[in-house]
Amino acid sequence: MKYFVVEVTYAASIEKIDAILSEHRAFLQTGYDRGWLLMSGPQNPRTGGIVIARAPSLDELQAFFRQDPYRVHKVATYRFVEFAPVKRL
């Protein structure tokens, strides 16, 4: 498995984001259930979110996030950064 930081940047008002937040969180749960998502949460200030993920490949992770309601409704953009962890708890 490869490891990634996914930076989600809002491209719409917080009101539009909040209107589909529950759909987005339900979508993220499918990634947790699959074992791909390790943690996620909003940035502070609330301009987007961060997801720490592991997946077989960048292509597969990007395909997964194409189903995110934030992407489907065009209210966020995504940046994927692969990294090689060398230390952890």
Side-chain angles (χ1 to χ4, degrees), residues 6-79:
V6 182
E7 181 181 23
V8 181
T9 302
Y10 299 150
S13 69
I14 285 297
E15 293 78 21
K16 287 184 181 178
I17 296 297
D18 284 344
I20 56 175
L21 181 59
S22 62
E23 286 179 63
H24 167 70
R25 288 190 175 157
F27 162 77
L28 290 178
Q29 187 59 51
T30 68
Y32 282 103
D33 294 344
R34 188 185 284 191
W36 284 17
L37 303 187
L38 304 176
M39 64 180 70
S40 59
Q43 295 180 33
N44 187 14
R46 199 166 163 219
T47 57
I50 298 292
V51 179
I52 306 299
R54 63 179 175 190
S57 70
L58 174 60
D59 288 342
E60 290 177 84
L61 187 63
Q62 288 174 326
F64 171 75
F65 272 97
R66 280 195 285 276
Q67 302 168 53
D68 185 348
Y70 283 175
R71 164 109 183 196
V72 171
H73 293 283
K74 299 180 178 155
V75 299
T77 60
Y78 302 80
R79 184 170 76 102

